[in-house]
Amino acid sequence: MQGQKDCIWLLLGSRTGDNAQMRAVSAQLDLPVVEKHLTYNFLHMLPNVVKTASLASLTLQAREQIQSPWPRLVIAVGKRSVPVARYIKKQSGGRTRLVQIGRPRTNLDHFDLVLTTPQYGLSASDHVLELAVPPTPVSVDTNDQTKEVLGSVLDHKLRPFVVVVAGGNSSSETFSNSAARHLAKAACQRAKDLGGSVFAITSPRTSKSVTGTLRSEFSEPATFLPWRKIENGENSPYAALLAAADEIIVTSDSASMIADALAFGKPVKIF
């Protein structure tokens, strides 16, 4: 076994919500954090029950990041990262501890701790901890910060603010154009009943078709903010809009988005 470093590795992937969960957990621990941005080849599609502790499912560039000294702790999410996390533990001689979030789709005994949520239905055990909602780091500290991020979006809008957070398709649900129209109609009616304003924001998983439907349905006086990639140094309007909300409506496809909404202590409705 080669040397070990007293730090945490986060095995980041392509999903913003998954990465946020890892960062939320690591933020509670008093250790330096190193982020490993992983990309995968076609082998990631194989089921984990047939994959060993290996880097074979990583691209060559991603494999170069996984080298000693090995960390004290690895935090990862979901299926793809499992062989990589197991490889790190094996190379460390078993000294690296593994924390897996969500549903690993493999033998849970490979991990020292599994942080899961009810929708995955994992069997209870000493090293499986079921949380009510996923970990979330979302926060905006002050009204001034919210104003800075959103600029003039909130200007001249009547309170209360009804904020809609729209996701996309998941393994168990389909977010159709018909559902998008229903969501918009319900949200706009809710804002009208309250005498307030409605804002809608989409996520990376919202399809182009549904985004187009929502853009049409959330026309003036509603405010529509389609998802876009945030460049370095920019702040996302997502957390700022949640902070500004008086009431939040969030689609049911994402437990992470629901957790984000609940973190602000506002009334939350799940569509």
Side-chain angles (χ1 to χ4, degrees):
M1 183 194 75
Q2 300 183 55
Q4 187 171 32
K5 191 173 182 179
D6 208 24
C7 68
I8 302 169
W9 282 7
L10 305 185
L11 304 186
L12 303 185
S14 60
R15 295 182 176 176
T16 302
D18 287 351
N19 294 342
Q21 290 181 47
M22 287 182 270
R23 289 172 176 140
V25 173
S26 66
Q28 305 304 312
L29 305 174
D30 190 21
L31 282 174
V33 173
V34 178
E35 296 188 347
K36 305 289 184 177
H37 295 261
L38 303 186
T39 51
Y40 297 87
N41 59 40
F42 71 96
L43 292 177
H44 82 266
M45 294 184 289
L46 294 174
N48 279 335
V49 293
V50 302
K51 287 189 285 190
T52 59
S54 168
L55 303 183
S57 60
L58 291 180
T59 62
L60 291 176
Q61 184 178 10
R63 292 180 202 181
E64 294 175 355
Q65 301 179 66
I66 311 301
Q67 299 180 15
S68 65
W70 307 110
R72 180 198 283 193
L73 179 68
V74 167
I75 301 176
V77 174
K79 168 183 174 289
R80 295 185 180 188
S81 61
V82 168
V84 181
R86 291 181 58 200
Y87 172 88
I88 294 167
K89 183 165 188 173
K90 182 178 179 180
Q91 295 301 309
S92 75
R95 296 181 64 183
T96 296
R97 299 298 182 93
L98 303 185
V99 174
Q100 198 76 11
I101 302 173
R103 178 175 53 180
R105 297 181 185 270
T106 192
N107 189 335
L108 301 183
D109 290 336
H110 292 316
F111 310 101
D112 298 284
L113 176 64
V114 177
L115 299 175
T116 190
T117 42
Q119 75 267 29
Y120 295 127
L122 299 186
S123 300
S125 71
D126 291 341
H127 64 291
V128 176
L129 177 61
E130 186 176 276
L131 307 175
V133 294
T136 177
V138 169
S139 65
V140 170
D141 296 330
T142 66
N143 289 332
D144 288 342
Q145 192 174 357
T146 300
K147 177 68 175 176
E148 178 184 342
V149 174
L150 290 176
S152 61
V153 169
L154 305 181
D155 288 351
H156 311 300
K157 298 292 185 179
L158 296 176
R159 281 196 179 270
F161 294 161
V162 177
V163 170
V164 178
V165 183
N169 297 335
S170 69
S171 58
S172 59
E173 299 185 32
T174 299
F175 191 17
S176 65
N177 287 315
S178 174
R181 284 189 287 270
H182 184 189
L183 169 61
K185 181 179 179 180
C188 290
Q189 185 61 52
R190 177 62 178 166
K192 182 178 180 181
D193 291 344
L194 294 174
S197 305
V198 62
F199 302 82
I201 188 167
T202 57
S203 81
R205 293 187 300 107
T206 311
S207 70
K208 290 182 178 180
S209 176
V210 167
T211 296
T213 297
L214 292 174
R215 187 190 302 276
S216 174
E217 297 292 330
F218 284 111
S219 56
E220 288 289 345
T223 301
F224 180 64
L225 299 173
W227 178 85
R228 64 180 180 83
K229 186 176 181 180
I230 301 301
E231 303 296 337
N232 292 337
E234 284 189 282
N235 290 304
S236 168
Y238 173 64
L241 204 55
L242 292 179
D246 296 295
E247 186 170 298
I248 301 168
I249 302 173
V250 58
T251 55
S252 62
D253 53 276
S254 172
S256 293
M257 293 195 314
I258 294 170
D260 291 345
L262 293 170
F264 285 89
K266 313 290 178 69
V268 175
K269 301 179 186 299
I270 299 174
F271 175 82

